[in-house]
Amino acid sequence: MALSKIDVANMVTGATPVANGGTGLTSGTSGQFLKFTGSTTLAGAGAGKILQIQTQHNTSNVTQNNSSSLADIFSDTITLSSSSNYIMAIAFINYQQFGNNSGSTPEFELRITDGSNNIKANQQLLDYLKNDSSYNQHGTSLFAYWTPNSTSEQTVKVRANQGNNGRMTIYGSSNGDTDRCSKLTLFELAA
């Protein structure tokens, strides 16, 4: 039997029932994240509302070779309007891994950290390359969400290390061409 659309508004009197799996939420506005409290109501007016957004582009390629120590790739700062608000950070990383005549498993780790280098998100990137002159280019994203409990300026960093074999390059741009360069976007979210 073919399914057809049902015009619930013209067939139901009183309150429209919640469909299977629905929450019944009708509040919230465009540009807001809904923060649930275990019921079907929002936790406070404006909860999760985006208060500011900013993006920082990586201004130059950063290359690390075998066993390089953890290094800052690029960073940005944000000042929250309330100590109870949250930072949401999304890093969009474009990179190349290369065997570099040193092994067949180039590996590196990416991190989002705060200004004190506390890890907020991390990701390992490992690729098997059949010979030392092989390389690949990819993109990845990291996401972090936390409250610093402060209205002081907060530094958010993208950090990386080349942990095993090969070489990695994280792309940047010094000429204003931001198509391939890596980016860090910071949001302030209302509590």
Side-chain angles (χ1 to χ4, degrees):
M1 172 187 288
L3 296 176
S4 61
K5 293 183 180 180
I6 299 172
D7 186 358
V8 175
N10 288 324
M11 298 176 64
V12 177
T13 59
T16 304
V18 176
N20 291 342
T23 64
L25 284 176
T26 58
S27 58
T29 61
S30 177
Q32 286 189 338
F33 290 91
L34 299 179
K35 181 176 180 181
F36 295 98
T37 60
S39 67
T40 58
T41 58
L42 291 174
K49 183 177 181 182
I50 298 173
L51 303 176
Q52 62 175 308
I53 302 172
Q54 60 193 48
T55 298
Q56 175 67 38
H57 297 87
N58 187 18
T59 57
S60 62
N61 290 348
V62 177
T63 299
Q64 288 186 320
N65 293 315
N66 300 350
S67 301
S68 296
S69 60
L70 193 65
D72 295 350
I73 305 302
F74 63 111
S75 64
D76 199 4
T77 60
I78 188 168
T79 302
L80 303 183
S81 58
S82 169
S83 61
S84 60
N85 288 349
Y86 289 82
I87 295 172
M88 184 171 74
I90 304 174
F92 303 97
I93 307 297
N94 292 309
Y95 66 92
Q96 180 191 80
Q97 288 177 296
F98 180 62
N100 203 35
N101 299 318
S102 62
S104 60
T105 55
E107 170 187 2
F108 69 101
E109 181 183 354
L110 293 170
R111 295 179 181 174
I112 293 176
T113 71
D114 63 16
S116 299
N117 298 328
N118 296 307
I119 299 170
K120 302 301 179 181
N122 67 312
Q123 182 175 21
Q124 177 197 31
L125 299 165
L126 171 69
D127 205 348
Y128 178 76
L129 299 173
K130 292 184 178 182
N131 62 59
D132 290 339
S133 62
S134 294
Y135 71 93
N136 63 39
Q137 294 182 169
H138 294 291
T140 191
S141 300
L142 282 87
F143 171 86
Y145 178 77
W146 74 98
T147 180
N149 295 312
S150 173
T151 56
S152 298
E153 183 179 76
Q154 301 295 310
T155 299
V156 180
K157 300 178 183 180
V158 174
R159 306 187 81 209
N161 77 313
Q162 176 67 30
N164 182 35
N165 297 327
R167 180 189 78 200
M168 66 94 178
T169 298
I170 296 183
Y171 291 117
S173 174
S174 59
N175 64 4
D177 177 10
T178 59
D179 290 343
R180 186 173 77 169
C181 75
S182 299
K183 301 168 183 69
L184 174 64
T185 300
L186 302 179
F187 302 79
E188 177 184 4
L189 301 182

